[in-house]
Structure formats: C-alpha cells, structure tokens
Amino acid sequence: VQWLVVANGDTPLVTEEHIQMLIDSVKASNADGGLLTLKLDDPQNYGRIVRDGSGRVMSVIEAKDYCTDLHGSFSGEINSGVYAFKVDALEDILFRLDQNNKQNEIYITQLISLAYDAGLIFSAICAGDCSELLGINSPRELCEQEEFLRKKNVNFHFEQGVTLRNSDQIRIGPEVVIEPGADICGPCEVYGQSLIGEGTTIDSHCYIENSEIKCSNILSFSHIHNSRIGKGCSIGPFARLRPGSVLEGGGKVGNFVEIKNSRIGINSKVNHLSYIGDADLKESVNIGAGTITCNYDGQKKHKTIIEKNVFIGSNTALVAPVTVKSWSMVGAGSTITVDVPEDSLAIARQKQKNLLGKNPLKKKQNKSNL
C-alpha cells in the first residue's frame, strides 16, 4: 500500500512523531485515510470536525461555512491540517473536488466528505491542544510558535546537563550542539551549526553563529560568526570574531577587538582596541592596544604574518603583505611596511621634536589678556 501524507504549509513544527502517530493509527483501524485533530479552548478560524452518530468522521467544515442547523452543535474538535491517504483511495475522489463554498475555493478538506459519501473509512486522531500542530496566519502567531520552539530547545539542553541562566532570554537554534557542563547566561543567542563544548562559559548579551567553542570563556557583548575557538581561550567583552577566525589554545581577544579571517596562535593575545584581518599569528604573540593590520590596498586583500614570541607595541599599523619574524619587537606608534628580521627591534615613526617656548596656545592667552 502506498501512502500520501499532506501537511499544511503554515504548520512548520509538525514532527516525524506526529506523522508516524497518524499513520500507525490509520493502519490500526484499517482506514483509507486519516487526519490529526485538535481541541482548543478557542477554536478560532480552524475547520470544524463533524462526526456521525457512530463517531465516524463525516466532514471538515471551514469556520465560515459552519452552520449549526446543518452540521449540529460544534464539538470543539478542529482540523490540524495533517492528513494521510491511501493513494488508491484518492484515485476515485480527488477529481471530484469543487468550489462550492462561500470562498469559491478548492478545499483539500472536501476529500473527507467525498470519502464518507463513497463509503471509505476515514479516521480522526485527536492530539489534544498540541501547540506544534497550530497553523501560522499572522505575525503574532508566528512569534508564538517561535517562542514555543525556543522553550522546547532550551528544555532539551537543560535535560542534557547544560546550565542555562536566565533561560527565558536564551535562543538556541535546532542544529546547535551544546555539551553537558557548558554554562550560558541570557540574554544570549546561539544559531546555525554551532558546537559549544563542555566547560565553556558564555556571559550575557552574546551572539554566536556557526561557530565551535571548546572549553573557553566568552565575556559579555561578544559577537562570534563562523569561527573556531580552542580550549582555554578568552573572548571579550565587546569582541567581534568575523568569519574565518581561529583561536588556538590559550588565545585571548579582549575588549573592542575585531578579528577577521585570521589565526591567533597558542597563548597569543590581542587584548585592546585592535583590528586583525587576514593575519596569521603564531605562538605567544602579544599585540598592543590600537594595533591594526592594513590588509586592503583598495583592490586586493593581503596577509600579515607574525611569527612566535613577537611583541607589537601599541598604536602600530602593519601594512600587508608583511612578515614580522620570531623574537622581534615593534616599537609603539610604528607603521611597518617591510618585513622585520628575526630578533630585531623595528621602529618606524617620525623623530620627536620639542620646540621650547613655541606653545601656540600660550601666545593666544597672552593676547587675550591685553
């Protein structure tokens, strides 16, 4: 026997379990088809289920077409819009559908009354007030279903041993994997194919998408997208990791730091007010505050390579393509445009001049006092 399952397009939370329950029930009753029904306190505009004296489903009548004189007192049972049909049973009734209703539309629900008139057996399986089978017909209903799914995902991770603080303000996507022992504080959003490892802590107001985080600390107001973070790392607060960012074990990205398409090596640090783009930082590199990699020349992106145990002084511009070799230091305020050799001190800045007695502000003050 071939079966055809039909579900309304506005019921996106229908699960495999719901469909299997329907098919199993239809098979058990040796019916030619069946549908899932609901019972709600407020039936709204859902189609009404009509049964005969023996309890057999006679028809599904749309709310606008329902008349108590014709169809009897409403039982409270409504149509969920999920059906299962034997394919050969449809062959005799499918093309009898018409538009004889107040909306002048073709209703799939007419198949139930056509089946009844043809002597076919059609069963209705009531799923109670199951929220997942409710349709979405307005922005409000869309948000209500999103909230239902959010709570379901949060409860699933609670049951897996994840700590979710302020859970009412945590949103977790259906493909996210969170290992037991992770600790997340809301408000927080985790989406896509993200993996949050055991021992990871994520503070409030963070956004994470399609990223892998292994046993690290993510501080508040951090934004992480398509990135990989190794064990023992610290991110934030107010840090942004853009696609292609990789932090190896012990790496640190601090406040108001942006990383893009770059590798931050083992125990390397970018702690303050810096931009690192298209760069490869090896082991134990220290990036001073206000450092930027100038990776774009107006037409192409270029790479900056900083080898192990390098110290970059504050307010430095590294103009790519450029390499800073191991065990070197770059003086604060430098603009580096050529490679720095190993075990070197690079200083690239204008020599300071002190002009004694030349303070222009002091001269203005003297004039104003005359």
Side-chain angles (χ1 to χ4, degrees), residues 157-228:
H157 290 290
F158 266 135
E159 293 169 1
Q160 301 303 307
V162 178
T163 300
L164 299 168
R165 307 174 191 277
N166 194 16
S167 62
D168 287 347
Q169 297 191 56
I170 294 177
R171 302 176 72 86
I172 302 171
E175 297 179 296
V176 172
V177 175
I178 306 178
E179 295 179 352
D183 191 319
I184 301 174
C185 181
C188 182
E189 300 176 67
V190 187
Y191 298 124
Q193 295 180 329
S194 292
L195 169 63
I196 310 300
E198 178 185 2
T200 295
T201 61
I202 301 175
D203 290 347
S204 66
H205 300 89
C206 290
Y207 179 94
I208 299 165
E209 183 177 352
N210 291 325
S211 296
E212 177 182 299
I213 304 173
K214 294 183 177 179
C215 195
S216 291
N217 297 327
I218 312 300
L219 304 181
S220 294
F221 296 97
S222 293
H223 189 291
I224 301 170
H225 189 195
N226 281 76
S227 298
R228 291 189 294 114

Side-chain angles (χ1 to χ4, degrees), residues 3 14 34 75 78 86 89 92 130 154 173 180 222 232 260 285 302 343:
W3 290 89
V14 174
S75 67
I78 61 170
K86 280 183 180 178
D92 294 331
C130 180
V154 165
S222 293
K260 192 273 291 187
V285 171
H302 300 283
D343 192 19

Side-chain angles (χ1 to χ4, degrees), residues 43 45-49 60-63 74 77-80 109:
N45 291 320
Y46 289 97
R48 276 57 168 156
I49 304 298
V60 176
I61 306 299
E62 294 302 310
F74 175 47
E77 188 178 15
I78 61 170
N79 175 29
S80 75
T109 52

Side-chain angles (χ1 to χ4, degrees), residues 8-38:
N8 286 348
D10 64 357
T11 53
L13 300 187
V14 174
T15 66
E16 181 180 346
E17 288 76 16
H18 293 131
I19 294 173
Q20 193 61 55
M21 176 179 71
L22 172 60
I23 292 176
D24 290 345
S25 178
V26 172
K27 288 181 176 179
S29 59
N30 196 29
D32 298 291
L35 78 162
L36 290 175
T37 67
L38 298 169

